[in-house]
Amino acid sequence: MLDRDQMERLTSCDGPAFRELYQIYAASIAAREQKPEAWICAIVRAPEYRVSVLKAGGHVTAFSILFLPQAESFALLEYMAVAPEQRNHGLGSDVFKQSVAQAVRPDGRRLPVVLEVDSDREASGDQHIRTRRQQFYRRLGCLRIAGLHYMLPLAGEGPVPEMDLMVYAAKGRPLPKADLRRWLRTIYRDVYHGSPDDPRIARMLRGVSDPVQLE
């Protein structure tokens, strides 16, 4: 049995671990930002993803989904969540640290990790939760891309929330705007099955400086 604090990779949907992961996913991720269960199952099996679970007593207590495009210079921490009854015990920080530690090139160099985070700039019923979430990621070393109002390309009913992109482990490394554009095109195409030429990408980039500023 694995130690409680050690995450393990999930590679199959055929078992209780995936069912427990999906239950945490459905309870933790805003409905407008969720992908269908079949899509999450396909992610588990996809070679460009690393889906990791944390277990205690043989049951999944937390998970993360990390997108690692082979031909790119970044990773995307697409989802991360802790079971509701296990929150406020430091598991979230542990899951984040173990997840971003997997964002490495074959030669061992670390990749910057991008996060899609609900923005606290807009008035909403959960604004205080959004602020806490942003503060959580900042304490772990993440910074927000200045001037970028992220447009989530996930199809669904109703408006998408105002969002930010945050980046981990990018301090001291200037980020050319062209790299950010390529990252966005990759996310739209490979993470959301959309067009890399979606006009929203150009609109998002209008207010972003070159090189990109992090705040």
Side-chain angles (χ1 to χ4, degrees):
M1 180 181 297
L2 291 176
D3 185 86
R4 176 183 183 275
D5 295 327
Q6 180 63 48
M7 298 189 78
E8 63 174 298
R9 186 171 185 178
L10 185 67
T11 57
S12 172
C13 309
D14 302 325
F18 178 77
R19 174 51 46 195
E20 292 172 348
L21 178 155
Y22 194 76
Q23 288 174 346
I24 297 172
Y25 176 85
S28 305
I29 307 301
R32 184 60 184 81
E33 299 169 36
Q34 290 184 22
K35 292 179 175 180
E37 182 175 352
W39 197 341
I40 299 299
C41 181
I43 284 173
V44 169
R45 296 168 173 161
E48 66 271 22
Y49 275 94
R50 187 173 183 96
V51 179
S52 302
V53 295
L54 187 69
K55 291 183 178 180
H59 296 284
V60 175
T61 57
F63 75 90
S64 69
I65 297 178
L66 188 70
F67 172 61
L68 289 159
Q70 294 183 355
E72 264 299 348
S73 59
F74 79 102
L76 172 71
L77 184 56
E78 188 173 348
Y79 295 109
M80 187 185 88
V82 175
E85 68 276 10
Q86 297 290 336
R87 293 171 187 166
N88 302 313
H89 298 293
L91 284 184
S93 296
D94 291 342
V95 171
F96 178 85
K97 292 172 183 176
Q98 291 193 50
S99 300
V100 298
Q102 300 169 16
V104 294
R105 294 176 182 269
D107 61 7
R109 285 186 294 168
R110 294 190 176 277
L111 295 169
V113 180
V114 177
L115 301 87
E116 303 163 321
V117 185
D118 288 349
S119 177
D120 60 357
R121 292 190 301 264
E122 68 174 347
S124 63
D126 63 345
Q127 191 169 16
H128 68 290
I129 297 175
R130 296 183 184 201
T131 298
R132 286 182 58 190
R133 189 176 296 125
Q134 292 226 359
Q135 291 173 343
F136 166 79
Y137 287 121
R138 287 186 180 279
R139 287 195 299 272
L140 291 166
C142 300
L143 295 171
R144 184 170 57 195
I145 294 178
L148 190 145
H149 293 238
Y150 184 64
M151 300 177 191
L152 182 72
L154 184 62
E157 296 183 5
V160 296
E162 178 84 13
M163 300 191 80
D164 295 318
L165 279 190
M166 302 186 82
V167 183
Y168 173 76
K171 290 183 179 179
R173 299 179 183 177
L175 174 60
K177 191 172 181 177
D179 285 3
L180 177 59
R181 180 181 293 107
R182 194 175 66 252
W183 294 1
L184 290 169
R185 287 168 58 89
T186 300
I187 291 170
Y188 265 52
R189 182 190 65 221
D190 297 341
V191 175
Y192 295 105
H193 303 172
S195 170
D197 299 316
D198 191 304
R200 287 174 290 187
I201 295 175
R203 292 203 298 271
M204 281 189 283
L205 290 170
R206 285 174 189 161
V208 178
S209 63
D210 191 5
V212 176
Q213 298 298 309
L214 302 174
E215 58 184 15

